[in-house]
Amino acid sequence: MIYDVSVWAIIIFLVFVAVVLGLSFYFGSRTKSASSYYAAGGTIHWGVNGIAFAGDYLSAASFLGICGMIAYAGYDGFLYSIGYLAGWVVALFLVAEPLKRLGKYTFTDALDSKFNSRGIKLTASISTLIVSIFYLIPQMVGAGDLVVPLLGLPHWAGVVIVGAIVIYIVATAGMTSTTYVQFIKGGLLITFSVILTIYILNNGFNLNPNENYHKFENISARIEGDQVVSTSNEKYQIVSQHQVGANTFVKLTADNINTWFKVEKVSDTLANLTEALNITSTSDGVTLYNGAPKSEKRFYQVGHFQKIIHNGVEVQETGPVGPFKFLSIMENSEVVLFKKVIFDDGDDKVTAFYQKPTKGSSILKPGLLLKVGKDSKLWDKINFLSLMIALFFGTSALPHILIRYYTVPSQRAARKSTIVAIVAIGFFYILTLYMGLGAMVNGVNDLESSNMSGPLLAKSFGIGIFSIISAIAFATVLGTVSGLIVASSGAIAHDFVDKYLKVEMTDIQKVRAGKFAAFGVGILAIILGILFKGMNVSFLVGLAFAVAASANLPSILMVIFWKKTTARGIASSIVVGIVSAVTIILLSPSMFERYGLPKADAIVPFDNPAIISMPLSFIVLVVVSLMTQKKKS
Amino acid sequence: MLHEPAAELGVDHASKRKTRLGIILFLVYAAIYAVFVIIGVLYTDLFGVKAIGNLNLAVVYGMGLIVLAALMGFIYNLMCSRMEDQMNGGAKI
């Protein structure tokens, strides 16, 4: 899509980002010594620290990804909200306090606290790096998506801009997101999400989302057999027709513009043609959006009701609604969702987005994306189960979350911080249901990327709130990306080069090694952020959770709870967890689609690896530990 | 990334009881979460049934899991704090 760039939006955005970055540099420059690095944790109230937790945790995946997924697939996106939040229960009840009693503050050191093993140092540092990279990809994708409507630049430019800023920040100032900055970001994100939700409820529902909303054409056609032979609109000429699975599409042309329509047979001689959107890649390398270059803005924003049922009556609009009425009306009404299908039209490759009126009762339960329910296959159910396992166990295995847990000195304050975080994060996730559903029906969705639903919804309510929410999301991405790059460069320079390889380095050399590592990881993040354009960021983070849950969690839990855990058991478990999780992901249907291959040809028939890789990692840890017990003399 | 602890911790006489409480609460929540997942996998249509007012089971159960996490967190904190006060003699750990 092409967006109209607003100068005011850019100004507000830049001012906001400058303030947040300025605060980051200011507080970052004050943390010179080891004790002062954690000093903020020593003096910060548990309530402030709890909101800082939320600011740290709620990355692009939460705001952009979940809202986007709900906007496109309803309740299936909300499953991510439920799973992400449930993961904090695992962290609070099982991991946090026992790990804190080990007295260590990074994932690597915690695992190695009883063993002093080179194997653990090596595998844990690699695991930190891989999990961080998997977590980095969606942040970079989200950053690129944010910049597109703001600056009117292509996605890759947004990724490069964010990558360059973060590399500069980390390489020069070594910024890590401080408790104060995360508190500000977390508080602002939740506050403006509340404001956006109030806008949505106050706006109510309307069959016509806005005055500029595209009026999708419906025309009658005469058919012979299955072939469309003429249409009721004389301006259109029939060009071609394709059967794609159970659906039939016909290409009509008028005024040199090709438009695709979906054919719905009404009788043996009549059919309805409903307008679809399409992106066509022609054989001579040109990409057309609904038959014209992108600059002609024919690829419209979408999202509207088919019918609205309010108090049992079909209405045109509802006026303001309360939060429970909002959900109840959604459930009783019918929304037009857009489904994607890809096919060849001669030498052209066509991606068509056709309208699919969907009952609200289907939108507000699982099944539109994750394919559970009576028509689902075994692998669909396994995929659903695997995703819910990954989300539940992933949070407590993320290295950059574990370390933030210990920025307060007492266990009681740490507990209270976590509970404040759970309340804040949980409240935000409930708001995502309203923001996502609001985006679904307010005509704002960009079918090229689901990640922008939240900010574009804000844009429909005003440039001011759009700019501020985009700036908050952008600052969140900057903070998360810089934190991940610092963690990754630390895993390389400190854990791997210094501790594992035992390369002798002066302090200056160590700092330089860290900066080189940060530069390398940053470049890799840019490349991957461009390659994964268009993928929903919450889905990508779900994969990061699966890798973390498989590689890290078995080791963490067994170090805490099982005395027979050995160093080799831990190292083997991490390796098996990483290899199995990453292998399954690379051979999954979603990745095959990314490779340009049919999803049905994927070697592994499900996307999320946790159901296989996590139990496998546990089994390996137990077996290897039992085999490598120290003999008692 | 620095690897030193932020502060020295004292001896916590309540740690075993807190750990046991944590495991119990985790198992309770995991069971409720597991039922949610099982319904999703095997009885998806049940999610469409009206649960409270006009809200279906999916929405009520999903939001309920979020609210329950916070409530159980409060309970955990209350009980752990009480254990610490009783068994650590008021010392800050």
Side-chain angles (χ1 to χ4, degrees):
Chain A
M1 268 195 64
I2 293 268
Y3 295 95
D4 291 322
V5 176
S6 159
V7 173
W8 272 114
I10 295 171
I11 291 171
I12 296 170
F13 173 81
L14 288 175
V15 165
F16 223 87
V17 171
V19 166
V20 173
L21 281 182
L23 283 170
S24 299
F25 277 115
Y26 172 67
F27 287 116
S29 67
R30 290 174 68 182
T31 56
K32 295 271 182 254
S33 64
S35 59
S36 66
Y37 183 81
Y38 292 107
T43 56
I44 286 288
H45 188 267
W46 48 263
V48 171
N49 200 56
I51 301 294
F53 256 132
D56 206 349
Y57 186 73
L58 295 174
S59 66
S62 293
F63 179 55
L64 303 180
I66 292 178
C67 288
M69 201 178 277
I70 293 173
Y72 281 71
Y75 193 89
D76 285 346
F78 191 53
L79 286 172
Y80 280 81
S81 295
I82 296 164
Y84 284 150
L85 193 278
W88 279 93
V89 163
V90 180
L92 176 63
F93 294 152
L94 284 190
V95 173
E97 284 196 55
L99 209 65
K100 188 173 174 68
R101 281 194 289 276
L102 284 177
K104 300 298 176 181
Y105 292 85
T106 68
F107 166 66
T108 304
D109 283 352
L111 289 188
D112 203 29
S113 59
K114 295 178 181 173
F115 304 105
N116 193 22
S117 153
R118 290 187 78 215
I120 291 178
K121 286 181 180 64
L122 173 65
T123 52
S125 60
I126 292 173
S127 175
T128 298
L129 184 61
I130 290 177
V131 170
S132 297
I133 289 172
F134 266 89
Y135 214 85
L136 262 171
I137 297 171
Q139 311 306 319
M140 300 301 285
V141 170
D145 281 338
L146 272 173
V147 165
V148 169
L150 259 173
L151 303 179
L153 297 172
H155 180 267
W156 66 264
V159 175
V160 168
I161 288 170
V162 167
I165 293 173
V166 174
I167 289 173
Y168 174 75
I169 288 170
V170 175
T172 57
M175 184 188 92
T176 54
S177 296
T178 66
T179 303
Y180 295 105
V181 175
Q182 293 294 18
F183 169 74
I184 292 168
K185 281 191 284 179
L188 286 174
L189 184 63
I190 292 169
T191 302
F192 278 89
S193 297
V194 169
I195 293 172
L196 188 56
T197 303
I198 292 171
Y199 267 108
I200 292 164
L201 297 176
N202 197 53
N203 195 50
F205 297 122
N206 197 317
L207 278 181
N208 186 23
N210 57 68
E211 59 194 18
N212 296 321
Y213 194 69
H214 175 67
K215 289 181 177 32
F216 286 91
E217 280 197 82
N218 285 303
I219 50 183
S220 311
R222 219 165 47 78
I223 55 173
E224 284 176 9
D226 289 326
Q227 281 297 119
V228 174
V229 295
S230 66
T231 72
S232 58
N233 191 326
E234 287 171 359
K235 74 173 183 177
Y236 283 115
Q237 304 294 320
I238 299 166
V239 179
S240 63
Q241 183 169 321
H242 289 276
Q243 186 73 24
V244 185
N247 297 310
T248 308
F249 296 92
V250 63
K251 183 164 76 175
L252 307 180
T253 191
D255 303 323
N256 287 324
I257 300 282
N258 292 327
T259 307
W260 285 92
F261 287 78
K262 183 167 175 285
V263 181
E264 298 283 355
K265 208 169 168 179
V266 175
S267 68
D268 287 341
T269 55
L270 283 177
N272 277 336
L273 307 183
T274 49
E275 184 184 349
L277 298 182
N278 78 89
I279 302 173
T280 300
S281 301
T282 64
S283 52
D284 41 356
V286 174
T287 303
L288 298 173
Y289 289 78
N290 281 352
K294 200 172 187 176
S295 53
E296 291 190 26
K297 299 184 191 177
R298 287 181 53 86
F299 197 71
Y300 311 105
Q301 286 175 268
V302 300
H304 63 276
F305 277 101
Q306 180 83 344
K307 55 181 159 186
I308 303 173
I309 307 293
H310 183 33
N311 293 331
V313 175
E314 192 169 338
V315 298
Q316 167 81 22
E317 60 180 300
T318 63
V321 292
F324 295 117
K325 198 69 181 170
F326 178 95
L327 296 173
S328 149
I329 293 171
M330 278 296 305
E331 177 148 14
N332 295 327
S333 303
E334 201 168 282
V335 179
V336 177
L337 299 181
F338 284 77
K339 294 291 165 193
K340 184 169 82 171
V341 66
I342 301 173
F343 56 91
D344 291 326
D345 176 37
D347 292 330
D348 298 343
K349 184 173 165 193
V350 179
T351 305
F353 302 88
Y354 64 93
Q355 299 179 57
K356 190 172 161 75
T358 307
K359 287 196 168 84
S361 54
S362 297
I363 289 169
L364 283 182
K365 69 178 189 194
L368 289 184
L369 186 68
L370 290 167
K371 295 186 180 44
V372 287
K374 49 181 181 286
D375 296 329
S376 62
K377 302 190 184 77
L378 173 66
W379 294 119
D380 297 322
K381 295 185 196 292
I382 286 175
N383 192 45
F384 175 81
L385 197 54
S386 194
L387 172 68
M388 299 311 288
I389 289 171
L391 298 179
F392 190 52
F393 289 108
T395 300
S396 50
L398 296 172
H400 69 288
I401 293 296
L402 286 172
I403 190 166
R404 180 156 287 285
Y405 190 80
Y406 306 114
T407 56
V408 285
S410 74
Q411 292 180 49
R412 193 174 298 208
R415 261 198 320 272
K416 286 180 176 177
S417 297
T418 309
I419 290 157
V420 169
I422 290 174
V423 170
I425 293 167
F427 177 60
F428 174 80
Y429 280 148
I430 289 175
L431 294 178
T432 59
L433 185 59
Y434 292 93
M435 292 190 284
L437 293 175
M440 183 187 269
V441 296
N442 274 290
V444 300
N445 286 330
D446 175 0
L447 288 169
E448 275 198 284
S449 169
S450 64
N451 297 319
M452 285 308 292
S453 298
L456 289 175
L457 176 67
K459 195 176 186 186
S460 72
F461 292 126
I463 285 295
I465 190 170
F466 165 65
S467 312
I468 292 171
I469 279 189
S470 297
I472 294 167
F474 193 76
T476 301
V477 168
L478 284 182
T480 305
V481 171
S482 68
L484 286 167
I485 289 182
V486 167
S488 307
S489 67
I492 295 170
H494 175 86
D495 294 337
F496 181 67
V497 176
D498 185 15
K499 294 283 185 190
Y500 176 73
L501 292 180
K502 296 186 183 170
V503 173
E504 298 259 345
M505 287 189 286
T506 62
D507 281 348
I508 293 174
Q509 285 172 328
K510 282 181 189 174
V511 169
R512 199 177 295 154
K515 289 185 178 179
F516 272 127
F519 183 79
V521 173
I523 295 295
L524 181 63
I526 290 172
I527 294 169
L528 293 173
I530 294 171
L531 287 177
F532 282 84
K533 173 196 165 189
M535 278 188 110
N536 181 275
V537 293
S538 213
F539 171 78
L540 290 169
V541 165
L543 299 183
F545 271 50
V547 176
S550 308
N552 298 347
L553 189 69
S555 307
I556 294 168
L557 288 180
M558 295 309 234
V559 151
I560 293 169
F561 293 112
W562 194 44
K563 289 184 172 45
K564 290 188 176 179
T565 304
T566 65
R568 283 194 193 164
I570 289 174
S572 308
S573 164
I574 292 174
V575 169
V576 165
I578 292 173
V579 170
S580 57
V582 174
T583 303
I584 290 172
I585 288 169
L586 291 176
L587 300 177
S588 66
S590 292
M591 286 310 294
F592 263 57
E593 189 181 33
R594 195 115 297 246
Y595 305 148
L597 302 169
K599 273 181 158 184
D601 290 352
I603 295 165
V604 174
F606 52 93
D607 284 324
N608 201 291
I611 197 170
I612 302 284
S613 49
M614 203 176 94
L616 190 60
S617 181
F618 265 112
I619 291 168
V620 164
L621 189 149
V622 169
V623 168
V624 174
S625 291
L626 290 174
M627 286 168 59
T628 54
Q629 292 291 300
K630 281 195 177 130
K631 291 186 174 64
K632 288 180 187 167
S633 53
Chain B
M1 187 86 74
L2 295 164
H3 290 229
E4 292 83 25
E8 286 298 316
L9 300 179
V11 175
D12 184 5
H13 300 287
S15 64
K16 275 199 176 131
R17 284 182 64 184
K18 288 193 294 183
T19 303
R20 199 178 314 134
L21 175 65
I23 293 172
I24 291 169
L25 289 175
F26 161 75
L27 289 173
V28 168
Y29 191 89
I32 297 170
Y33 185 83
V35 169
F36 176 80
V37 173
I38 288 167
I39 294 175
V41 173
L42 298 176
Y43 310 104
T44 319
D45 287 341
L46 202 56
F47 272 142
V49 168
K50 296 270 188 265
I52 295 177
N54 277 321
L55 300 178
N56 68 14
L57 183 65
V59 169
V60 171
Y61 206 142
M63 289 202 181
L65 278 170
I66 291 174
V67 171
L68 182 65
L71 279 174
M72 289 180 81
F74 279 122
I75 292 168
Y76 177 69
N77 180 57
L78 208 62
M79 295 179 73
C80 283
S81 299
R82 206 169 284 171
M83 286 176 202
E84 284 166 0
D85 290 338
Q86 284 171 358
M87 300 178 81
N88 292 329
K92 281 203 172 162
I93 304 295

